[in-house]
Each structure stands twice: as structure tokens, then as C-alpha cells.
Amino acid sequence: MVGLVVLLESCLFVFSTSRAREFAKSGMPHLLRPILGGAEIIAALLFLIPPARTIGGYVLLVIFALAAVIHILHGQPDVGGLVIYAAAVYTVLAAYKS
């Protein structure tokens, strides 16, 4: 379920015009949205495939950490959603290894 939610949110982040307008107001480089969002989509798809779940999960954790750092560096310290997504992915990875 976590993988589907991350995939949906990633697709909205990349393909939604309203999210594009919102992102444009952030002052972050425009190229960042498709690069970070596209990588997140690929990682979420990998996370949904059981043999690739570990790779996809770790890539998602790196992407969430990178996104949090970018937000903080741009004066947007509210990264709670990213922390929750990271915790959910980490929980799935921990359960998958057991």
C-alpha cells in the first residue's frame, strides 16, 4: 500500500499542472521537479515488485532524504510528510527482511 501511495503522489508531483504552479512559487529550480519526481516514480515502481523491493526501498529513502535537505536549504523546514513516507518505507523493508 505504501508503494502505491508514493507512486500516486510522485505522479501527481510530476504530471499535475496545479502542483507545477505550486512548485514554481517555491523558488526551486524547475528542472528539479521532473528529475526528482521521475526518480521517485521509478523507485516506487521497483518498490512494488517483490524481487526489487529492497533496491526500490533504499532508493526511495535516499530520494526522501535528498528532498528533505533541498526543502530545508530552501527555507521550507516542514518535511514531516517526507519523514512519514520514509518511516513507512523503512518499516516495510524491515518486515520484508524478517
Side-chain angles (χ1 to χ4, degrees):
M1 186 61 89
V2 173
L4 290 175
V5 171
V6 172
L7 179 61
L8 175 66
E9 287 296 323
S10 301
C11 287
L12 288 173
F13 178 66
V14 173
F15 301 115
S16 169
T17 56
S18 63
R19 297 256 180 120
R21 282 191 299 270
E22 185 179 313
F23 186 82
K25 295 176 186 175
S26 72
M28 292 187 214
H30 295 294
L31 195 56
L32 189 63
R33 188 173 63 91
I35 291 173
L36 198 56
E40 195 172 312
I41 288 169
I42 292 168
L45 288 171
L46 288 173
F47 188 68
L48 290 171
I49 302 169
R53 181 170 290 136
T54 302
I55 293 168
Y58 283 119
V59 172
L60 281 173
L61 291 176
V62 169
I63 292 169
F64 294 151
L66 181 61
V69 167
I70 291 168
H71 276 280
I72 291 167
L73 290 176
H74 280 86
Q76 301 168 352
D78 184 17
V79 294
L82 291 168
V83 172
I84 290 171
Y85 284 141
V89 168
Y90 184 78
T91 302
V92 171
L93 287 175
Y96 183 67
K97 286 187 178 188
S98 300

